[in-house]
């Protein structure tokens, strides 16, 4: 189990617990459950890398305690 922090820089900061073999799509669904935003509208980025839904967290080398940028589409 790893914990990831997602910050939208508009005052909303969410801490999500998930597994390293979860996909980005699964992570978005967990974020939407906590924030109330529809998961289709969520875009996760780190610097200029936009994360795609079908790739796992392990493949992107997302580890415990990492911060991701949360944007709304």
């Amino acid at each position: 189990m790893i914990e990831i922090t997602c910050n939208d820089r508009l005052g909303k900061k969410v801490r999500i617990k998930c597994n390293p073999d979860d996909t980005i799509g699964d992570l978005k669904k967990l974020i939407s459950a906590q924030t109330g935003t529809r998961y289709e509208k969520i875009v996760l980025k780190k610097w200029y890398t936009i994360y795609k839904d079908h790739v796992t967290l392990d493949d992107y080398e997302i580890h415990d305690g990492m911060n991701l940028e949360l944007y709304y589409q």
Side-chain angles (χ1 to χ4, degrees):
M1 216 47 160
I2 60 173
E3 186 174 78
I4 298 168
T5 306
C6 298
N7 190 355
D8 69 352
R9 296 188 277 166
L10 297 171
K12 193 176 288 184
K13 194 171 190 178
V14 186
R15 288 173 33 191
I16 305 291
K17 287 193 181 295
C18 56
N19 293 318
D21 57 346
D22 287 348
T23 62
I24 295 291
D26 296 336
L27 179 62
K28 285 183 181 181
K29 288 177 184 173
L30 292 171
I31 292 169
S32 70
Q34 278 199 11
T35 61
T37 309
R38 293 199 347 243
Y39 78 93
E40 300 96 358
K41 298 273 184 194
I42 294 174
V43 178
L44 293 175
K45 291 184 184 179
K46 182 73 172 184
W47 288 93
Y48 293 104
T49 305
I50 298 175
Y51 293 126
K52 306 214 180 303
D53 285 1
H54 62 279
V55 184
T56 65
L57 301 178
D58 252 351
D59 292 340
Y60 274 128
E61 296 182 1
I62 296 175
H63 306 296
D64 189 28
M66 259 184 96
N67 294 310
L68 297 179
E69 300 163 11
L70 179 60
Y71 293 95
Y72 305 109
Q73 192 173 7

